[in-house]
Amino acid sequence: MPELPEVETIKNDLEPLIKNSVIDRVEFLWNKTLRGSSPETFNREVAGQRINNLSRRGKYLIIMLDNGKMLLVHFKMTGSFLIGKQEGEPPKHTRAIVYLKDGRGLFFIDPRKFGRFQLVNPGDSPLSELGIEPLSSGFTRQRLGELLSKRKSPIKITLLDQGLIAGIGNMYADEALFLAGIHPLRRAEDISHVEITRLHDAIRHVLLEAIKNKGASIVNYFRPSGETGSAHSHFKVAHRKGVCTACPGAVQRIVIRGRGTYFCPSCQH
DNA sequence: CCCGGAACCTGAAGGC
DNA sequence: TGCCTTCAGGTTCCGG
């Protein structure tokens, strides 16, 4: 499930490989992968465009084109990129292929078909709806405190709200709450100053560690080279069963607003 | 406007 | 062993 660290890894891996490459055309094998325009209109705008740079905002990968347009890619649950030669059958579950002029293909692989491509103008895009980047300098403990105040939802749900903080998904919300010792069902506005400090540190720590480990390959996610990440092997609670890594108690799994939530009842209050 | 739940999807896992 | 059901979850959409 590509969240901030996975998308950051894809961006870091891909940028040196495709920066300054020129797009020949983009083929959609599953039409709903393209959002907001028809494949014909889309191709009229991207064909022949040079890729200026790649960046990331929240869970979006941003491919900047020479004409000023941004190609946004959202990987949702099971999207990944694989780069290789164009010849032969595309890999299984390929939903779109970005053909580059140099003969390489960028394959968008997405078994569940939730992932989306969208061509937008800067300033006129879903990016403007996103909240603060948790790894930016603006994300201070004071700022986190402001975001949590007057929020009556469970803290877990608040952390997943992309309009408040951009990039945290189910796995890293569980990991951050475990590290901070906070029960996922606590009301956000009830979190104390001391706990907010711990949570702020925990969020940044789990995201930075996961980026160092090139993302978590729990299901489907892999890097553009085909390699997996190893962040999941460092998880303390997310997707774990059995004994807690920090105490003799057992990790519990509950469902909060439809999302599987892992936590340790004796470590998190 | 806010909240909660369904829908989108398919492969994997679990139950009988 | 095999068929059937359930589950996974990021985001959008819709109803209350």
Side-chain angles (χ1 to χ4, degrees):
Chain A
M1 296 146 243
E3 304 180 21
L4 187 155
E6 287 74 31
V7 181
E8 182 74 14
T9 300
I10 292 169
K11 187 260 293 175
N12 290 340
D13 283 359
L14 220 42
E15 174 149 54
L17 296 176
I18 66 169
K19 186 182 166 85
N20 294 325
S21 294
V22 177
I23 296 173
D24 183 28
R25 66 191 177 95
V26 180
E27 179 184 7
F28 292 94
L29 308 182
W30 175 253
N31 274 338
K32 287 186 187 174
T33 297
L34 177 59
R35 189 185 167 89
S37 62
S38 70
E40 293 74 27
T41 308
F42 178 87
N43 266 290
R44 232 172 280 136
E45 310 227 56
V46 304
Q49 288 301 311
R50 186 176 301 275
I51 295 168
N52 273 344
N53 61 70
L54 302 196
S55 56
R56 178 196 58 73
R57 178 80 170 92
K59 300 173 192 171
Y60 286 91
L61 177 71
I62 304 168
I63 301 177
M64 276 297 263
L65 304 180
D66 228 9
N67 61 6
K69 303 249 180 195
M70 304 191 302
L71 171 51
L72 303 185
V73 179
H74 199 299
F75 300 92
K76 295 286 180 83
M77 315 268 302
T78 59
S80 292
F81 271 127
L82 201 56
I83 192 158
K85 295 189 176 150
Q86 290 173 11
E87 61 212 26
E89 278 292 296
K92 200 176 181 188
H93 303 308
T94 296
R95 308 306 181 194
I97 306 171
V98 181
Y99 294 103
L100 302 175
K101 292 270 196 202
D102 61 18
R104 290 176 303 159
L106 186 57
F107 301 91
F108 183 67
I109 299 165
D110 183 22
R112 298 276 290 278
K113 298 179 173 174
F114 288 167
R116 294 291 180 264
F117 281 32
Q118 188 176 5
L119 196 65
V120 301
N121 292 306
D124 173 30
S125 82
L127 302 185
S128 58
E129 310 289 314
L130 295 175
I132 192 165
E133 283 291 322
L135 296 180
S136 70
S137 57
F139 184 64
T140 59
R141 59 192 65 158
Q142 287 81 4
R143 188 68 199 281
L144 177 60
E146 290 162 20
L147 292 172
L148 299 187
S149 70
K150 295 182 218 137
R151 299 263 157 194
K152 301 187 192 316
S153 300
I155 181 65
K156 164 93 184 249
I157 297 303
T158 310
L159 292 181
L160 294 177
D161 187 338
Q162 301 300 299
L164 296 179
I165 304 171
I168 300 175
N170 204 38
M171 302 182 295
Y172 296 108
D174 283 359
E175 286 297 296
L177 288 171
F178 175 82
L179 203 56
I182 298 171
H183 194 291
L185 281 172
R186 287 272 302 285
R187 268 157 58 130
E189 64 179 4
D190 293 342
I191 308 290
S192 73
H193 284 292
V194 174
E195 289 171 323
I196 286 170
T197 298
R198 289 209 306 263
L199 182 57
H200 175 261
D201 291 348
I203 289 169
R204 297 177 64 102
H205 182 80
V206 297
L207 295 177
L208 288 169
E209 280 298 300
I211 292 170
K212 273 189 202 164
N213 291 309
K214 310 295 182 186
S217 294
I218 288 271
V219 280
N220 295 298
Y221 163 79
F222 49 82
R223 299 165 62 188
S225 57
E227 298 167 273
T228 54
S230 63
H232 54 290
S233 62
H234 300 274
F235 281 175
K236 298 286 196 291
V237 283
H239 292 273
R240 291 183 70 107
K241 295 185 175 77
V243 180
C244 175
T245 49
C247 83
V251 173
Q252 268 195 20
R253 182 185 183 276
I254 59 175
V255 175
I256 304 178
R257 299 257 180 98
R259 287 170 175 91
T261 300
Y262 297 82
F263 73 106
C264 173
S266 48
C267 293
Q268 296 173 254
H269 302 280

